[in-house]
Amino acid sequence: GYRINILDTPGHADFGGEVERIMNMVDGVLLVVDAYEGTMPQTRFVLKKALEADVTPIVIVNKIDKPTANVDRVKQELLEVGLVPEEWGGDTICVPISAKHNQNIDKLLEMVLLVSDMLELKANPNRNASAYVIESKVDKGRGIVTNIIVKNGTLKLGDNVVAGLSTGHVKSMVDYLGNSIKSAGPSMAVSILGLGIAPDAGDMLYVVDEKMAKNLVEERTSKIKVQKTKDT
């Protein structure tokens, strides 16, 4: 079966490099454009970052149920930024939809699966896990809560992990529905407890033995100290 995770980019100006960070985590981009409003500045910014990361987007033209919707105008705007729609002889997939009326959602999913097949996205569940840290926060009752997406391998309860300058054991793990689970395979989005300090969004999390984790953190800490001294 297929598992599709969606990481939403900020709808406001990108203050903290979130868009670029997300581009490093994803295999593809779904660019949502309003059929009436056309491509807004933030949409163009996301598109620019996607193309810089060599990720060709699938364009979703939403709200086609509106009487003022103009799909061809959106395609013309895409043309101006170098994206040529398939029906105009290019290779950019454009799917007109109405989220409100559930129109063409099946076609959109079909296109997502087609692109993922073309990209030959694969992972190996039978190895130590590596994962992307999406976000991390301190919860008063539970400690450090870290949300991750498993990139490769399988993460299991009790695994020793390192992420940035943080280490720990996976004490508990819940899926996106809040159910407690014992393992998470490739492309699963889970929330874990057990890290000593909150890692940064965009850090890679790896399963390693305790000695290796300690060495990695010491090495990374000393690099930061050296950099800080240089900066001073």
Side-chain angles (χ1 to χ4, degrees), residues 28-31 47 50-51 55-60 78 83 91-94 115:
V29 169
L30 299 174
L31 196 75
L47 175 59
L51 296 175
V55 183
T56 305
I58 292 174
V59 178
I60 303 169
L78 293 172
L83 291 184
D91 56 6
T92 300
I93 297 169
C94 286
V115 169

Side-chain angles (χ1 to χ4, degrees), residues 26-90:
V26 297
D27 300 301
V29 169
L30 299 174
L31 196 75
V32 184
V33 183
D34 188 307
Y36 167 64
E37 291 182 335
T39 53
M40 303 304 280
Q42 186 57 19
T43 313
R44 288 192 208 106
F45 179 76
V46 171
L47 175 59
K48 178 175 174 277
K49 291 297 174 187
L51 296 175
E52 281 173 10
D54 204 23
V55 183
T56 305
I58 292 174
V59 178
I60 303 169
V61 187
N62 190 23
K63 301 185 185 176
I64 58 168
D65 53 280
K66 280 188 172 183
T68 48
N70 189 338
V71 177
D72 278 349
R73 183 170 66 91
V74 172
K75 289 178 182 175
Q76 186 62 47
E77 287 178 358
L78 293 172
L79 210 57
E80 288 162 16
V81 290
L83 291 184
V84 185
E86 276 187 333
E87 48 275 38
W88 290 4

Side-chain angles (χ1 to χ4, degrees), residues 154-159 170 172-174 179-184:
T154 298
L155 185 68
K156 298 182 282 295
L157 276 182
D159 276 347
V170 180
S172 79
M173 182 163 28
V174 297
N179 299 318
S180 288
I181 54 174
K182 291 182 178 177
S183 66

Side-chain angles (χ1 to χ4, degrees), residues 137-146 192-195:
K137 61 187 180 192
V138 181
D139 183 287
K140 278 184 182 175
R142 297 185 295 164
I144 308 293
V145 180
T146 307
I192 63 170
L193 297 179
L195 286 170

Side-chain angles (χ1 to χ4, degrees), residues 66-143:
K66 280 188 172 183
T68 48
N70 189 338
V71 177
D72 278 349
R73 183 170 66 91
V74 172
K75 289 178 182 175
Q76 186 62 47
E77 287 178 358
L78 293 172
L79 210 57
E80 288 162 16
V81 290
L83 291 184
V84 185
E86 276 187 333
E87 48 275 38
W88 290 4
D91 56 6
T92 300
I93 297 169
C94 286
V95 189
I97 69 158
S98 165
K100 190 176 180 180
H101 296 286
N102 200 19
Q103 188 182 346
N104 272 358
I105 304 300
D106 51 350
K107 171 86 189 294
L108 171 59
L109 289 171
E110 197 182 300
M111 290 300 106
V112 171
L113 297 183
L114 174 72
V115 169
S116 63
D117 281 343
M118 284 163 57
L119 293 173
E120 296 183 349
L121 303 175
K122 292 186 176 82
N124 174 15
N126 304 313
R127 51 167 286 178
N128 282 342
S130 58
Y132 297 111
V133 173
I134 307 304
E135 59 190 352
S136 196
K137 61 187 180 192
V138 181
D139 183 287
K140 278 184 182 175
R142 297 185 295 164

